Amino acid sequence: MSVVKRCIATTERVADTETGRPRGASDVVTVLGAGIGGLTAAIACARAGHSIEIIEQAPALTEVGAGLQLAPNGMRVLRALGVEVPGIDNRAVHLIDGATGRSLVRMPLGPGFRLVHRADLIAALAAHLDGVTLHLNTEVAGLEDRGLRLADGRLWPAGRVIGADGVRGAARRYVSPDHAARFTGQVAWRATVPVETWPAEAQVHVGAGRHLVLYPLRDGRLLNIVAVEERADWTADGWSRTDDPENLRRAFDGYAAPVRALLDRVETVNLWGLMDHGVTPDWTRGGCTVIGDAAHPTLPFLAQGANLALEDAWLVSRMLEDPTGYEALRRARVTRALAAAAGNARAYHLRGLSRHVAHAGLRLAGAVAPGALLRRYDWLYGHDVTAQ
């Protein structure tokens, strides 16, 4: 069955609510958001025997952005659900000095690390929505005790709600309305460029106050670029702002020639300010429990945003009747992951003497035991939420 055939027009459900709550509405689990976390939660809940509906404001299942890195902890959830995602097996994380192009350390990766296009992951998840009702083009303005208030003012009855609609979504505003974010002092550009060939690895080109991440997508002929620069202020929160590619090129003008040549080919680029939202103080209010970015938006320095959302989705599907227990099992882990991501940003942007000392240490570690540097993340990659 195709995704299109599963879509139910918004007017069908809302028309029923105009004369009162539909029979059995309280037995349906409503998932807000058809992103990675929302689709995974819907599939996992359906497999656990629940009646599921997804509400998505977009008119079609698409995903902003391009690449993402899946790690073993996230891949275990996909395998447990039988979801196969096309992509490239990531063989290493390669740290490179941005200014000179000199290799600092290449850390080999074991099995379970994949480089995938977001759209391909969304499509792979959407292909497993059997038994799930998907409502597209349906915008939720807010949550109330009786259900969801749609943007057109009508009420959508809902019992149990899983909020997977992101950091600026209605679920997070309802569950933790007064939780503010702060600007981290960093902005990020995202772009892709075609390439003839690229090694199956994630490269991190580090420099004073900035770094650049490069990795291949799909058949290896598309290169994903994420470039981060420290900046004093920011006025917009999001990643949908289009920027002039010249601003990206100027920010990395001091980098080695091969990187500059890649950036010269960028034609369109998005820019967003990196905000520190921290872990949301509360994850549940009434019948609504938030997951993924709605619960713990993470900075993109550990490539764990999608992976943590996959873990959340699996566990919440097993603990719908115990949201407090779900949060208790997740909070310490995601807090540690967010702190590790922030620590990576500081390490990538070192200046002066500390930068030279750190780079010398990386080269030594690479010569003696390159795998040892990644073993500090065994607690992260080795976790199996499907066995929890």
Side-chain angles (χ1 to χ4, degrees), residues 295-315:
H296 46 77
T298 179
L299 296 171
F301 306 132
L302 194 57
Q304 276 292 302
N307 294 285
L308 294 177
L310 289 167
E311 289 184 0
D312 287 351
W314 175 275
L315 194 59

Side-chain angles (χ1 to χ4, degrees), residues 10 31-35 54-62 134-140 164:
T10 302
V31 177
L32 298 189
I54 305 174
I55 298 179
E56 169 58 46
Q57 68 177 0
L61 284 184
T62 58
L134 175 62
H135 304 270
L136 296 172
N137 204 29
T138 306
E139 183 177 356
V140 176

Side-chain angles (χ1 to χ4, degrees), residues 7-262:
C7 298
I8 306 298
T10 302
T11 53
E12 294 179 12
R13 174 66 183 276
V14 176
D16 290 338
T17 72
E18 291 175 348
T19 57
R21 189 180 187 85
R23 181 177 299 177
S26 62
D27 299 327
V28 176
V29 178
T30 302
V31 177
L32 298 189
I36 294 169
L39 291 174
T40 305
I43 297 167
C45 286
R47 301 278 178 85
H50 300 283
S51 297
I52 306 297
E53 65 179 2
I54 305 174
I55 298 179
E56 169 58 46
Q57 68 177 0
L61 284 184
T62 58
E63 182 69 16
V64 177
L68 59 86
Q69 300 178 56
L70 292 177
N73 54 306
M75 289 291 290
R76 291 184 185 100
V77 174
L78 295 174
R79 282 198 298 270
L81 295 174
V83 177
E84 295 289 337
V85 185
I88 296 173
D89 290 336
N90 190 7
R91 303 300 186 189
V93 174
H94 192 176
L95 299 185
I96 299 170
D97 181 75
T100 65
R102 180 182 179 185
S103 175
L104 298 173
V105 61
R106 186 179 186 275
M107 297 170 283
L109 297 173
F113 291 86
R114 299 216 85 193
L115 305 170
V116 306
H117 199 289
R118 284 178 179 268
D120 294 341
L121 177 54
I122 292 294
L125 290 167
H128 288 75
L129 288 178
D130 297 307
V132 175
T133 303
L134 175 62
H135 304 270
L136 296 172
N137 204 29
T138 306
E139 183 177 356
V140 176
L143 279 71
E144 303 175 6
D145 292 340
R146 296 182 297 161
L148 315 175
R149 183 63 63 180
L150 301 186
D152 62 10
R154 289 177 289 178
L155 181 68
W156 184 292
R160 168 60 63 188
V161 176
I162 297 175
D165 51 347
V167 68
R168 291 176 295 280
R172 189 170 189 262
R173 293 197 305 270
Y174 174 75
V175 170
S176 193
D178 300 322
H179 185 53
R182 69 171 184 84
F183 178 52
T184 63
Q186 300 170 99
V187 298
W189 290 272
R190 182 183 290 272
T192 59
V193 295
V195 292
E196 288 298 323
T197 184
W198 197 266
E201 63 182 27
Q203 296 184 358
V204 184
H205 297 252
V206 300
R210 69 205 69 232
H211 77 276
L212 189 83
V213 180
L214 306 172
Y215 56 86
L217 296 173
R218 291 180 167 163
D219 60 356
R221 295 183 180 274
L222 185 67
L223 189 67
N224 192 71
I225 300 173
V226 179
V228 178
E229 178 192 39
E230 294 180 2
R231 185 175 292 187
D233 54 19
W234 181 252
T235 57
D237 179 9
W239 63 339
S240 58
R241 170 177 163 182
T242 302
D243 196 30
D244 186 341
E246 284 301 322
N247 294 329
L248 168 62
R249 288 188 269 270
R250 277 194 294 269
F252 290 85
D253 185 57
Y255 266 44
V259 169
R260 297 200 312 272
L262 278 173

